[in-house]
Amino acid sequence: MKIRQRPANRADGAYLDEIFHGQEDPAELMAAHPEAVPGTPTCVLAKDDGVWRIAAAQNTQVFDVETLTAG
């Protein structure tokens, strides 16, 4: 299973990664706001006694400039 993860503010649900939109070089913002960098979790599921369970998981932050700065 592959997911697109976008961190959001708990108070109003605003996406935190929107601070990167329109930036030419978001490196400083990424360093100052690591909680706003989106992730791409991947989970491997396995059926165990008829029940689906997460067998392995990895959550990697996206540091691709084009992805972060696209509006």
Side-chain angles (χ1 to χ4, degrees):
M1 147 175 83
K2 178 84 167 126
I3 302 167
R4 179 179 181 211
Q5 180 184 52
R6 292 184 71 194
N9 184 316
R10 289 182 186 208
D12 62 6
Y15 291 115
L16 300 178
D17 63 345
E18 290 181 356
I19 64 170
F20 303 119
H21 294 179
Q23 298 292 319
E24 195 167 306
D25 182 10
E28 280 187 42
L29 275 175
M30 290 168 60
H33 301 282
E35 75 285 354
V37 178
T40 57
T42 301
C43 298
V44 176
L45 305 175
K47 204 167 194 178
D48 179 24
D49 258 345
V51 177
W52 287 100
R53 302 183 190 278
I54 297 174
Q58 173 68 39
N59 189 6
T60 304
Q61 288 184 307
V62 176
F63 293 109
D64 177 59
V65 172
E66 285 184 34
T67 300
L68 287 174
T69 58

